[in-house]
Amino acid sequence: MEKRLEEMTQIMTEKSKELAGKQLPPLDPEGKTLAKHKRETFDIVDTPVDPLR
């Protein structure tokens, strides 16, 4: 189990290094529409959640 956690840590570190130097591509009109809709909505969970878990 510990070996898998170490591997995941290494993967996440490499991925963050790859993304650190890059900028996000500009949004196209469809992406802007989706982003605007997402900004004005909230994710609502329909499943009851036990707060003590």
Side-chain angles (χ1 to χ4, degrees), residues 38-52:
K38 250 327 200 184
R39 181 186 302 167
E40 297 170 355
T41 61
F42 294 99
D43 291 331
I44 299 172
V45 178
D46 292 335
T47 307
V49 178
D50 182 6
L52 299 177

Side-chain angles (χ1 to χ4, degrees), residues 1-17:
M1 179 76 169
E2 187 173 322
K3 182 178 180 181
R4 294 186 78 189
L5 290 175
E6 289 175 14
E7 289 175 4
M8 287 303 296
T9 303
Q10 289 175 348
I11 291 169
M12 290 170 52
T13 303
E14 289 296 321
K15 195 65 170 171
S16 64
K17 286 179 186 177

